[in-house]
Amino acid sequence: MIEKCSCTVVHEDVVNKVKELMPKEEVLYDVAELFKVLGDTTRIKIICALFESEMCVCDLAAVLSMSQSAVSHQLRVLKAARLVKYRKEGKVVYYSLDDDHVKMIFDLGLLHINENRGA
Amino acid sequence: MIEKCSCTVVHEDVVNKVKELMPKEEVLYDVAELFKVLGDTTRIKIICALFESEMCVCDLAAVLSMSQSAVSHQLRVLKAARLVKYRKEGKVVYYSLDDDHVKMIFDLGLLHINENRGA
DNA sequence: TGAATATATGAACAAATATTCATATGAGGT
DNA sequence: ACCTCATATGAATATTTGTTCATATATTCA
């Protein structure tokens, strides 16, 4: 039932209906986790850079003006979230976007931002 | 130029091209900020609940089994990001989604998650 | 006016996370 | 085999962030 809410007047019907319809805890966790990965300036920059072209770690570090280490750490996070993939060529590792969901998600994000500028 | 990268072999042409094409720092920051807001389980749950119906703070607290205070704090964050809006009716405050970008973004996120389950 | 209640908010604490630094790994060239 | 270079990674640190607790605000009702 209703546990941790100190309020007394609650619309119980609504609460119960919504509780039923909510996706599984696990799914919501994973979705949040995905957005958390997108919710960092460095990683968004990396993704944005990869929209244009596949790039090696050094290139990315140069584009972002960040250390190779920092970029590499973040690439690992992006890789774990299946947002980027890589291809090795000798000692150089080229990263690129794994699929085009990211582009769509990013564009929607951008749309939201832009619509709330004038307002 | 290329500053903080210790690497010597860099594809300078690519780097310069991508640097040009990158959106403004400020825009990228805002986009990351938006996804950061979506990147928390509590907030995703709130949003998900609001997909079904507008709800007051108490209802939400009940659905999430969380304290009224915690929910209220997160609603503030969602409000600041223009993801939710509210309507007062007496002492009760009803929250709902501000626009339907969120729904689209959420669904794309879900899609990404689901496609990477079997793999 | 005063009590009750829904919501908001500030401060404090705990947990998560991004960057740096130092170093490891692994591939090419000599 | 050795040296160089691109990348990866572990530990440490600093910062951010979510929740709790206590309390403030605001509205209804008596």
Side-chain angles (χ1 to χ4, degrees), chain A residues 26-39:
Chain A
E26 183 204 353
V27 172
L28 294 174
Y29 179 84
D30 286 350
V31 173
E33 209 60 25
L34 172 65
F35 290 125
K36 194 177 292 179
V37 171
L38 297 174

Side-chain angles (χ1 to χ4, degrees), chain B residues 74-114:
Chain B
Q74 298 308 338
L75 282 169
R76 195 149 86 106
V77 176
L78 290 169
K79 201 166 37 176
R82 309 242 194 192
L83 292 172
V84 303
K85 63 187 181 211
Y86 63 94
R87 155 179 95 77
K88 285 193 180 181
E89 195 171 289
K91 39 184 173 174
V92 180
V93 180
Y94 292 95
Y95 281 87
S96 57
L97 296 177
D98 198 343
D99 56 42
D100 34 58
H101 298 145
V102 209
K103 176 69 174 157
M104 295 191 282
I105 295 176
F106 180 89
D107 286 342
L108 280 175
L110 207 56
L111 184 66
H112 181 80
I113 297 302
N114 287 329

Side-chain angles (χ1 to χ4, degrees), chain A residues 1-5 7 10 12 15-16 19, chain B residues 58 61-63 65:
Chain A
M1 292 280 129
I2 294 127
E3 287 152 348
K4 296 186 190 173
C5 181
C7 311
V10 181
E12 252 200 279
V15 169
N16 289 329
K19 262 192 176 174
Chain B
C58 257
V63 168
S65 299

Side-chain angles (χ1 to χ4, degrees), chain A:
Chain A
M1 292 280 129
I2 294 127
E3 287 152 348
K4 296 186 190 173
C5 181
S6 63
C7 311
T8 49
V9 177
V10 181
H11 311 77
E12 252 200 279
D13 48 333
V14 175
V15 169
N16 289 329
K17 196 195 79 181
V18 172
K19 262 192 176 174
E20 260 180 54
L21 293 170
M22 290 276 281
K24 279 186 196 159
E25 174 89 21
E26 183 204 353
V27 172
L28 294 174
Y29 179 84
D30 286 350
V31 173
E33 209 60 25
L34 172 65
F35 290 125
K36 194 177 292 179
V37 171
L38 297 174
D40 174 82
T41 313
T42 300
R43 288 190 294 262
I44 276 288
K45 281 180 188 170
I46 292 177
I47 286 170
C48 232
L50 296 180
F51 284 152
E52 306 304 336
S53 162
E54 74 167 6
M55 297 179 92
C56 70
V57 180
C58 257
D59 290 346
L60 284 168
V63 168
L64 307 198
S65 299
M66 290 185 67
S67 74
Q68 173 270 321
S69 180
V71 171
S72 183
H73 275 296
Q74 297 308 337
L75 281 169
R76 195 149 86 105
V77 176
L78 290 169
K79 200 165 39 174
R82 308 242 194 191
L83 293 172
V84 302
K85 62 185 181 212
Y86 63 94
R87 152 179 98 76
K88 285 193 179 182
E89 197 172 287
K91 38 184 174 175
V92 181
V93 180
Y94 291 95
Y95 281 86
S96 57
L97 296 177
D98 197 342
D99 57 41
D100 35 56
H101 297 144
V102 209
K103 177 68 173 156
M104 295 192 282
I105 295 176
F106 179 89
D107 285 342
L108 279 175
L110 207 55
L111 184 66
H112 182 81
I113 297 301
N114 287 331
E115 284 191 11
N116 288 131
R117 292 230 166 217

